[in-house]
Amino acid sequence: MHAPEMTLPSAKVSAPGRSIERAPPVAPAVPLNVLVVEDDDAEREAIVDTVQAIGHRCCGARDGLEGWEIHKRDHADIILSDWQMPRMDGIELCQRTRVIAKDEGAYTYFIFMTNFSDKEHFVRGMAAGADDYFTKPVDLDELHARLVSAGRVVAVYRKLAMQNAVLRHDSQTFFRAAHIDALTQVANRLAMDEDLTVLWARVKRYGHRYSIAICDLDRFKAYNDHFGHIAGDEVLRRVACTIRERLREGDGLYRYGGEEFVAVLPEQSLAEAGRAMDRVRHAVERLAIPTTRRRAITISSGVAELDPATDTSPQDALRRADAALYRAKADGRNRVETDRPPR
Ligand code: GH3
Ligand code: MG
Ligand code: MG
Ligand code: MG
């Protein structure tokens, strides 16, 4: 179909041309990235000149496919598209534009400019996802007015995208703060409860193995009573950091209570976990943090393995680890005890 004669300046007339004088060149509040997709060279060039003269960035594409390639590389805020074009028509371009808009969140305001003035084409164009539709010949005053209105919509979407980014960032920050212990910077009890729920499901469903160790600082009350809580806090920080360094990357470490930490060791048998925790115990002792009793700060640990055959929840394994810890304390502290199988 041939385009009827346009009321545009001819392609030879470069902007600012007659139409620009008619459309007062008020600089747009926000310059937009406009893509003109039109197979008629003269029409396309005239529209590109006009849009640029208004103050927007603008480039042209000779058909839908070229337009699509440009849009994928350099997101267009507004696409002004012809309907009938070789290789890819405006309808397909419009539909594809809507699909990437869904994925990436950035909105593209899509305007059809076509020779079809009947209602059926208008309805089809809007159903494909267009925001606006006008019939040729393109009147440049009208085009200018439509770009102003499109600019308002694009600005709202940009603002929403910015607010969403801020909200996402804030919620990540709050999520992190809610799951990290402020003093020691290891994960907290809430994080532990959530993680244990997940790994308990893995134990039951896939038979994965997990050992759990509770570590408790030895005679820490006496340390606090003598050196004060601020010095005690610093000890907690150093001990937490040392335990974290000694565990494997895939192991979990949580502050369980005041001077107690829980380590979660995936894919390790009870005996392996016991040996790993003994290396941790040794590393804490080697920090050589002095106490009043001419000995260093030490920890004791109790280790148990999650057992899907007998445990009803990970808390059962925690109870067994706690019982083992109690034995470590009773046997003199600065030691690791593993869970004993029931006789
Ligand atoms: P045990 O070897 O039997 O574990 O003796 P303990 O003194 O460590 O155990 P107890 O439970 O009697 O005392 C724990 C102490 O840990 C009490 C408190 O002074 C200290 N504590 C708990 N939380 C914190 C904390 O956040 N900061 C400091 N500085 N001390 C804490
Ligand atoms: Mg065409
Ligand atoms: Mg304790
Ligand atoms: Mg203690």
Side-chain angles (χ1 to χ4, degrees):
M1 180 186 286
H2 286 284
E5 200 156 284
M6 300 175 69
T7 57
L8 284 170
S10 80
K12 285 172 276 167
V13 181
S14 61
R18 177 177 61 87
S19 62
I20 307 307
E21 285 155 17
R22 285 162 58 215
V26 180
V30 185
L32 303 167
N33 207 17
V34 182
L35 174 61
V36 176
V37 189
E38 168 62 69
D39 59 333
D40 182 301
D41 293 343
E43 277 185 50
R44 184 181 62 253
E45 283 162 21
I47 297 171
V48 168
D49 286 348
T50 302
V51 175
Q52 284 173 345
I54 291 170
H56 297 300
R57 288 185 303 278
C58 185
C59 73
R62 281 180 294 256
D63 57 44
L65 192 59
E66 192 183 21
W68 173 242
E69 294 300 331
I70 293 173
H71 179 51
K72 275 196 301 181
R73 271 199 316 273
D74 182 17
H75 169 85
D77 298 310
I78 300 176
I79 295 179
L80 278 162
S81 178
D82 187 17
W83 183 305
Q84 288 186 303
M85 292 176 289
R87 301 205 299 166
M88 186 192 293
D89 66 9
I91 286 286
E92 186 170 349
L93 175 63
C94 182
Q95 286 164 339
R96 288 191 182 199
T97 302
R98 286 295 165 254
V99 172
I100 50 168
K102 231 184 270 162
D103 292 347
E104 292 169 15
Y107 194 72
T108 297
Y109 195 92
F110 199 100
I111 306 175
F112 269 118
M113 38 178 198
T114 102
N115 296 309
F116 300 120
S117 55
D118 57 289
K119 190 167 82 181
E120 284 71 22
H121 277 90
F122 170 76
V123 170
R124 249 189 87 196
M126 298 306 277
D131 298 286
D132 198 0
Y133 185 105
F134 60 93
T135 45
K136 295 174 182 176
V138 174
D139 177 277
L140 294 187
D141 290 333
E142 200 182 318
L143 172 63
H144 190 174
R146 285 174 194 267
L147 287 179
V148 170
S149 132
R152 277 196 295 269
V153 174
V154 169
V156 169
Y157 273 100
R158 278 187 184 173
K159 196 169 163 195
L160 279 177
M162 251 158 58
Q163 285 170 344
N164 276 341
V166 170
L167 281 175
R168 248 197 316 275
H169 176 265
D170 285 354
S171 77
Q172 279 163 1
T173 307
F174 295 141
F175 183 87
R176 195 185 131 75
H179 289 78
I180 295 284
D181 172 55
L183 176 69
T184 60
Q185 295 299 305
V186 301
N188 63 14
R189 180 96 185 233
L190 172 66
M192 186 189 89
D193 289 342
E194 290 179 4
D195 291 355
L196 285 183
T197 305
V198 173
L199 66 86
W200 179 239
R202 287 196 198 126
V203 168
K204 284 193 299 182
R205 187 166 305 168
Y206 306 114
H208 289 188
R209 299 184 80 171
Y210 289 95
S211 287
I212 290 183
I214 305 180
C215 316
D216 186 295
L217 274 77
D218 295 325
R219 302 194 206 283
F220 195 49
K221 184 170 180 321
Y223 186 93
N224 273 300
D225 290 348
H226 190 268
F227 295 98
H229 262 77
I230 293 182
D233 283 354
E234 183 53 29
V235 170
L236 281 176
R237 268 193 286 268
R238 289 185 65 192
V239 169
C241 182
T242 301
I243 301 175
R244 178 68 273 171
E245 278 171 8
R246 287 288 147 175
L247 292 174
R248 295 181 187 171
E249 210 182 319
D251 297 344
L253 179 64
Y254 309 87
R255 188 169 179 204
Y256 188 44
E259 29 76 89
E260 293 172 9
F261 297 90
V262 163
V264 174
L265 302 96
E267 304 306 331
Q268 294 195 46
S269 69
L270 190 58
E272 287 165 339
R275 284 193 290 277
M277 292 318 296
D278 200 54
R279 288 192 292 273
V280 169
R281 179 202 62 74
H282 196 51
V284 172
E285 191 177 19
R286 275 204 313 269
L287 287 174
I289 302 170
T291 70
T292 50
R293 310 169 106 223
R294 290 214 206 124
R295 57 168 191 91
I297 284 279
T298 55
I299 59 168
S300 298
S301 299
V303 190
E305 187 177 351
L306 266 69
D307 184 351
T310 56
D311 294 344
T312 55
S313 76
Q315 271 62 42
D316 287 343
L318 274 173
R319 267 190 286 277
R320 290 199 307 279
D322 202 37
L325 171 63
Y326 186 82
R327 283 199 304 277
K329 294 282 184 185
D331 288 353
R333 298 176 171 81
N334 189 22
R335 56 198 300 131
V336 176
E337 280 288 325
T338 48
D339 180 30
R340 289 182 193 145
R343 296 189 182 181

